[in-house]
Amino acid sequence: MASSTPVPQTRSAGAPDRDRSPRIESHGIDHIPDDERHGHPRELFSIWAAANVNYLSLVVGGALVLMGLSLAQALAVIVIGNLFWLLTGVLAVSGPAAGAPSEVITRAMYGVRGNRVNNAVTGWTISVCYFALNLAAAAGAAFALVEKTGLAASTPVKVVVVLVIAAVTLTIGVYGHGLIVRLYLPITLALAAAFGVVAYAVLLKADFGYAPAAPLGGTELWATLIAGVTLIAAGPLSYTTSADFSRYLPRTTSPGAVIGWTALGGFLPSVLVCALGALAATVVDMTDPQTALQALLPGWFSPVFLLALVVGTIAINAMTSYSAGLALQAVGLRIPRARSVLVDGAVAVALTLYALLVSDFLDTVSNVLQLTVVLLGPAMTVYAVDILLRRGRYDGAALMDESRNSPFWFAAGFNPAGAVAVLGGGGLAALCVDTAYTGPVADALGGVDLAMPVGMAASGLLYALVSRGRLSA
């Protein structure tokens, strides 16, 4: 496999604000020197908030009530599940410390070669699948918006719509970090205003005392509660790349501020929008949220709502494409970051068009992604434990060394601790799954799916034990 050292990209020294200017970001997975660091951790709030005021959160919130939970139970699950944003915040601390993206920092956990495997699976492949799923969701809202103009959503129109949404998304991803920082605050404010109108309409009609006609109890209730927490937690657990968006911050940035602004940016909007979906499910059928919510909204606002769904999905997908581009470089593809983003987008668009026009491919992908918690939970835990063991200290320059002399070469390019922890934790989690299939542990527990807590606890413990006294620089 070719070395993952990025193609040389020039950047003038002593110009710390260039990343903020409206030009394509020059850095890829290379180290960000101290004299090019800038910004304040509060900028992280709007980055994560814009990505989480979205349609998916409405769907997930409504799904909790459809699963048979009362409103009170659903709201408790929403808060507990979203507490996992704290882990996303912890991972973001490594960005300013190393001046590198997550895709490079994880060499400390898996080794130079092992990290290429990690990026290929938990980085690039899963990111592209999520990109395709989100693009399909945005396209559905855009098709409805087009039809409101009187134009039929024929196959050619659908293709054009998907390509336009993808083009806008990839433009943000290609321009990169500077544009994301500048653009996501106004996007957050605009989406907050739009969803504020939705909230007002829902709150007027919501049944705050809602309980299902046949309340769940016993094992069935516990199984549903744990499944709900896992469903909510899957969002923050999918962001093992939070250092990608914090790596330009100065090395001296407060770790507590990085954790706080990142976690709050994900937690607050996710809780509010998921809760809005649950409240709506007490009065309308959220099996088709887009149609159901429009029934609660004033007619004039329906196009605005559909547009907000599209914009929110563009925001989350731009971040996904940005990180997927870095992952592709880290896998070993020697192309500039901007081109790697375009490669990711081309694959995701092809999957989306195939799914929308030919088959139910995305249904298959969606089922597969339900199992990602088996890998993403352990992967995030290993990353967080590594940060704690190193006390947040990383040598960014050393992480860039991919030679056999690298302190992160370990054994033949693989770190046994990372491999044992992820495979061991993932293997135990697979025994506890009750989604796409029922594992033996879940079967013995009457359908209670403990894959997430078991996988995370086991991987964290294994990594701490195997790594003890063996950490590299």
Side-chain angles (χ1 to χ4, degrees):
M1 183 181 293
S3 169
S4 61
T5 301
V7 173
Q9 302 176 69
T10 60
R11 185 175 176 124
S12 63
D17 291 327
R18 285 187 62 183
D19 177 62
R20 295 174 176 273
S21 60
R23 67 182 70 202
I24 294 176
E25 180 186 353
S26 59
H27 283 296
I29 60 171
D30 50 316
H31 179 250
I32 311 297
D34 287 339
D35 62 358
E36 295 188 37
R37 307 286 193 91
H38 53 71
H40 189 281
R42 63 173 172 267
E43 295 171 345
L44 297 171
F45 176 83
S46 58
I47 290 175
W48 292 101
N52 286 285
V53 182
N54 58 45
Y55 181 55
L56 181 59
S57 295
L58 281 172
V59 173
V60 171
L64 296 175
V65 173
L66 292 173
M67 290 163 63
L69 297 178
S70 68
L71 178 60
Q73 291 167 340
L75 294 178
V77 163
I78 288 168
V79 172
I80 294 170
N82 277 302
L83 288 175
F84 282 86
W85 282 107
L86 283 171
L87 275 178
T88 309
V90 170
L91 268 56
V93 166
S94 61
S102 293
E103 291 79 6
V104 170
I105 296 170
T106 44
R107 289 173 183 166
M109 290 130 249
Y110 304 108
V112 172
R113 287 177 171 170
N115 193 48
R116 294 176 188 172
V117 178
N118 168 60
N119 277 300
V121 179
T122 63
W124 188 79
T125 301
I126 290 177
S127 292
V128 168
C129 288
Y130 271 116
F131 189 117
L133 287 171
N134 287 326
L135 181 56
F143 297 160
L145 189 60
V146 167
E147 289 180 339
K148 285 186 175 295
T149 67
L151 181 65
S154 61
T155 296
V157 170
K158 289 183 177 180
V159 171
V160 171
V161 167
V162 169
L163 292 177
V164 168
I165 295 173
V168 175
T169 302
L170 294 175
T171 296
I172 299 173
V174 165
Y175 272 80
H177 182 270
L179 183 58
I180 289 173
V181 171
R182 292 163 63 95
L183 195 58
Y184 276 39
L185 177 56
I187 287 179
T188 298
L189 295 175
L191 291 177
F195 275 78
V197 175
V198 177
Y200 177 75
V202 170
L203 291 174
L204 285 178
K205 299 182 179 180
D207 179 0
F208 289 91
Y210 173 83
L216 301 177
T219 301
E220 187 178 15
L221 174 60
W222 281 108
T224 305
L225 290 171
I226 294 173
V229 170
T230 300
L231 182 63
I232 297 293
L237 289 180
S238 68
Y239 288 109
T240 57
T241 57
S242 54
D244 295 1
F245 307 98
S246 62
R247 74 189 194 278
Y248 278 93
L249 292 173
R251 187 189 303 270
T252 56
T253 301
S254 164
V258 173
I259 294 173
W261 287 112
T262 298
L264 188 63
F267 177 84
L268 186 60
S270 293
V271 166
L272 294 177
V273 179
C274 284
L276 189 59
L279 286 164
T282 65
V283 289
V284 294
D285 182 4
M286 288 291 281
T287 54
D288 183 6
Q290 183 178 304
T291 301
L293 288 171
Q294 288 186 70
L296 299 176
L297 299 172
W300 64 267
F301 186 73
S302 182
V304 178
F305 172 63
L306 293 172
L307 182 60
L309 297 183
V310 175
V311 171
T313 306
I314 287 174
I316 191 172
N317 259 358
M319 291 177 65
T320 301
S321 68
Y322 180 78
S323 291
L326 295 173
L328 199 57
Q329 282 190 313
V331 166
L333 191 60
R334 290 178 56 85
I335 60 174
R337 182 198 60 79
R339 293 184 187 175
S340 65
V341 170
L342 294 177
V343 171
D344 303 328
V347 174
V349 168
L351 293 178
T352 303
L353 289 175
Y354 181 77
L356 291 174
L357 306 177
V358 179
S359 75
D360 60 353
F361 176 78
L362 285 187
D363 288 339
T364 301
V365 173
S366 181
N367 288 332
V368 171
L369 288 178
Q370 290 180 43
L371 299 176
T372 58
V373 69
V374 171
L375 284 177
L376 292 179
M380 178 166 273
T381 305
V382 165
Y383 197 160
V385 171
D386 190 79
I387 290 172
L388 294 177
L389 292 176
R390 296 176 189 275
R391 298 181 182 179
R393 294 192 290 265
Y394 290 92
D395 186 336
L399 284 165
M400 300 310 301
D401 183 2
E402 296 183 78
S403 72
R404 292 176 182 273
N405 296 321
S406 167
F408 303 104
W409 186 257
F410 298 103
F414 293 84
N415 183 358
V420 168
V422 169
L423 293 178
L428 289 174
L431 298 176
C432 303
V433 166
D434 187 34
T435 50
Y437 70 92
T438 300
V441 174
D443 186 48
L445 295 176
V448 177
D449 186 336
L450 296 176
M452 184 182 70
V454 167
M456 295 181 72
S459 60
L461 181 60
L462 284 170
Y463 188 74
L465 291 175
V466 181
S467 294
R468 201 169 189 177
R470 301 179 182 180
L471 292 181
S472 298

